[in-house]
PDB file of all heavy atoms in Angstrom:
ATOM      1  N   SER A  37      -1.115  18.700 -19.796  1.00 61.00           N
ATOM      2  CA  SER A  37      -0.884  17.466 -20.535  1.00 61.00           C
ATOM      3  C   SER A  37      -2.097  16.553 -20.470  1.00 61.00           C
ATOM      4  O   SER A  37      -2.431  15.877 -21.420  1.00 61.00           O
ATOM      5  CB  SER A  37       0.354  16.747 -19.998  1.00 61.00           C
ATOM      6  OG  SER A  37       0.231  16.527 -18.605  1.00 61.00           O
ATOM      7  N   THR A 175      -3.265 -11.220  -3.632  1.00 96.00           N
ATOM      8  CA  THR A 175      -3.801 -11.936  -2.473  1.00 96.00           C
ATOM      9  C   THR A 175      -4.058 -10.964  -1.325  1.00 96.00           C
ATOM     10  O   THR A 175      -3.432  -9.911  -1.219  1.00 96.00           O
ATOM     11  CB  THR A 175      -2.815 -13.012  -1.999  1.00 96.00           C
ATOM     12  OG1 THR A 175      -1.628 -12.371  -1.513  1.00 96.00           O
ATOM     13  CG2 THR A 175      -2.457 -13.961  -3.134  1.00 96.00           C
ATOM     14  N   MET A 195      27.560  -5.708  -1.456  1.00 89.00           N
ATOM     15  CA  MET A 195      27.696  -6.548  -0.276  1.00 89.00           C
ATOM     16  C   MET A 195      28.649  -5.957   0.756  1.00 89.00           C
ATOM     17  O   MET A 195      28.590  -6.299   1.934  1.00 89.00           O
ATOM     18  CB  MET A 195      28.152  -7.951  -0.670  1.00 89.00           C
ATOM     19  CG  MET A 195      27.061  -8.778  -1.336  1.00 89.00           C
ATOM     20  SD  MET A 195      25.519  -8.836  -0.385  1.00 89.00           S
ATOM     21  CE  MET A 195      26.062  -9.696   1.089  1.00 89.00           C
ATOM     22  N   GLY A 347       6.788  26.381 -19.079  1.00 97.00           N
ATOM     23  CA  GLY A 347       5.623  27.170 -18.697  1.00 97.00           C
ATOM     24  C   GLY A 347       5.372  27.240 -17.216  1.00 97.00           C
ATOM     25  O   GLY A 347       4.246  27.491 -16.780  1.00 97.00           O
ATOM     26  N   ILE A 377      25.996  34.749  -3.108  1.00 98.00           N
ATOM     27  CA  ILE A 377      24.908  34.132  -3.869  1.00 98.00           C
ATOM     28  C   ILE A 377      23.557  34.488  -3.269  1.00 98.00           C
ATOM     29  O   ILE A 377      22.563  34.657  -3.985  1.00 98.00           O
ATOM     30  CB  ILE A 377      25.110  32.596  -3.974  1.00 98.00           C
ATOM     31  CG1 ILE A 377      24.334  32.052  -5.190  1.00 98.00           C
ATOM     32  CG2 ILE A 377      24.665  31.878  -2.719  1.00 98.00           C
ATOM     33  CD1 ILE A 377      24.857  32.467  -6.518  1.00 98.00           C
ATOM     34  N   ASP A 414      22.201  20.081  14.712  1.00 96.00           N
ATOM     35  CA  ASP A 414      23.404  19.725  13.941  1.00 96.00           C
ATOM     36  C   ASP A 414      24.025  20.908  13.222  1.00 96.00           C
ATOM     37  O   ASP A 414      25.003  20.764  12.514  1.00 96.00           O
ATOM     38  CB  ASP A 414      23.109  18.594  12.962  1.00 96.00           C
ATOM     39  CG  ASP A 414      22.178  19.000  11.819  1.00 96.00           C
ATOM     40  OD1 ASP A 414      21.806  20.191  11.711  1.00 96.00           O
ATOM     41  OD2 ASP A 414      21.809  18.121  11.013  1.00 96.00           O
ATOM     42  N   GLY A 423      11.106  24.438  10.342  1.00 98.00           N
ATOM     43  CA  GLY A 423      10.386  24.187   9.100  1.00 98.00           C
ATOM     44  C   GLY A 423       9.048  24.896   9.055  1.00 98.00           C
ATOM     45  O   GLY A 423       8.648  25.437   8.014  1.00 98.00           O
TER      46      GLY A 423
END
Side-chain angles (χ1 to χ4, degrees):
S37 55
T175 66
M195 287 308 296
I377 203 68
D414 69 4

